[in-house]
Amino acid sequence: MTQQHPPTESQPGPPFPHQPGPFVGGHSPAGPPVHSPPMPKTGRRIAARAIDLAVLSLALFLLAALTIDAITEKATHVLPEQVIGAVTNVLFSAGDVGAATDEVGDSAWNLIVSRVQTSVLILIGFHFAYETAANLWQGRTLGRMLLDLRIVGPGGSKARFGRSLWRAAVTVVCTGGLYGLAWIALLHGSFIGGFVLWLLAVAVLVAYVAPALFGSARRSLGDLVAGTRTVHAGAYATAGRTVLRAAQAGSSAARNAAQRVPVQRLADSYQVRRAKETGGRWAARAADSEQGRRLRQLGATAGDRFKDVYRQRRGGDGSTPPDPQ
């Protein structure tokens, strides 16, 4: 039985399975670095944001119309009853007109405040849903889609749900949410609270926009918080290359098909046969016509004259010259 000796320095043993071997050439097994898409210019981003604000303005206009209609309908059906009740209270309260008037005014004002507050909250919710859905759907709002932009995560990957949610929340709070809350505070009679919220809204708006306009990475506050960035989508360039490749493939296929058509098939085609038959009929008609017969007679007369001239030059020996070919 052979005795096995432990490995010595001259005979190193095999490496342990869990220990990685040395890298050949000094390269890491990781793949090549991922190149992020180029950053868009500031003007393009501003134009995309302006289109998104136009969408929000349209939603605001629709909500305002619905709010006014709801207030009008409510006032038509509820306020007359409250006015009648206030008149009744005046009659049975020894003429306390001030209390009755305050009651009707408070009812009307509370009606307006409740409807406007609901509309502002709905608008904020719509803005949040719009931003979140756009970030999840290839990172493209309507403005970014028209200006060929999109939101990406680290390394140019698609922004996940958490990043999309954070970016939408910061964007809504900084670009409209605090303004809406300031209006609600003013409607409830808190002038100081509304003024403080308005100052805060201006401050966070500047903080949101400044990094995107003046920062080296051109990332807004929402991008910095969520770890995203706005880049060129390249959709228009990709579509143009696809159309060009399709056109080139169609042209190449047409050339190959034309080269594969046999010449004999072209010669045996109906159009070629018809042209041959038409040409033969024209040649036969030309030969049988009066001009054709005259040409044949002229040819025969010229041949006879040629023979006579040839005999005269030969001295009249009677030999026949060869027929001219």
Side-chain angles (χ1 to χ4, degrees):
M1 183 174 180
T2 305
Q3 183 179 4
Q4 296 182 355
H5 298 280
T8 61
E9 294 182 358
S10 60
Q11 294 179 346
F16 291 101
H18 63 274
Q19 292 181 344
F23 297 124
V24 179
H27 294 286
S28 173
V34 179
H35 297 285
S36 300
M39 292 186 300
K41 294 183 178 180
T42 304
R44 183 184 291 265
R45 296 185 63 176
I46 293 175
R49 191 62 190 170
I51 295 174
D52 293 333
L53 289 178
V55 174
L56 295 177
S57 299
L58 179 61
L60 175 61
F61 176 78
L62 294 176
L63 280 173
L66 293 175
T67 302
I68 294 173
D69 183 69
I71 291 175
T72 304
E73 182 180 2
K74 192 76 173 179
T76 303
H77 293 84
V78 176
L79 289 182
E81 298 179 358
Q82 294 181 349
V83 170
I84 295 174
V87 172
T88 305
N89 292 333
V90 169
L91 295 177
F92 290 95
S93 62
D96 191 358
V97 179
T101 304
D102 292 340
E103 182 180 355
V104 175
D106 290 341
S107 299
W109 179 249
N110 291 333
L111 173 63
I112 295 174
V113 168
S114 63
R115 295 297 179 177
V116 173
Q117 176 179 317
T118 302
S119 298
V120 171
L121 294 177
I122 290 175
L123 182 62
I124 295 174
F126 172 79
H127 190 188
F128 180 73
Y130 175 75
E131 291 288 341
T132 304
N135 294 338
L136 292 175
W137 181 69
Q138 300 180 355
R140 310 182 75 184
T141 60
L142 180 61
R144 297 192 203 111
M145 182 179 64
L146 295 177
L147 273 299
D148 200 21
L149 304 175
R150 67 188 180 99
I151 299 298
V152 297
S157 61
K158 181 180 178 181
R160 300 298 181 182
F161 178 77
R163 298 183 185 277
S164 300
L165 202 64
W166 271 109
R167 191 183 192 282
V170 175
T171 301
V172 171
V173 170
C174 295
T175 61
L178 290 177
Y179 284 106
L181 296 180
W183 276 103
I184 292 176
L186 289 175
L187 289 174
H188 284 279
S190 178
F191 176 79
I192 296 177
F195 183 71
V196 170
L197 286 174
W198 182 81
L199 291 178
L200 184 60
V202 174
V204 297
L205 179 61
V206 173
Y208 181 87
V209 175
L213 296 179
F214 307 105
S216 59
R218 294 293 190 269
R219 300 172 69 187
S220 64
L221 182 61
D223 290 324
L224 295 175
V225 172
T228 58
R229 61 195 299 257
T230 303
V231 298
H232 276 291
Y236 295 155
T238 302
R241 288 193 297 267
T242 302
V243 172
L244 181 60
R245 284 197 296 266
Q248 292 175 349
S251 177
S252 177
R255 287 196 302 269
N256 295 335
Q259 293 175 358
R260 288 195 297 266
V261 175
V263 179
Q264 185 63 34
R265 181 184 301 177
L266 181 62
D268 294 339
S269 63
Y270 173 76
Q271 290 81 0
V272 175
R273 291 199 306 270
R274 187 171 182 181
K276 290 179 179 179
E277 294 173 359
T278 304
R281 288 196 299 268
W282 286 352
R285 291 177 182 176
D288 294 339
S289 63
E290 182 179 355
Q291 289 81 0
R293 290 194 297 272
R294 292 183 64 181
L295 288 175
R296 288 197 298 272
Q297 292 176 1
L298 290 174
T301 303
D304 294 340
R305 289 181 180 178
F306 176 75
K307 291 179 182 180
D308 292 339
V309 172
Y310 182 79
R311 282 195 296 269
Q312 290 176 3
R313 290 186 178 182
R314 297 283 298 195
D317 56 358
S319 59
T320 305
D323 292 334
Q325 298 295 331

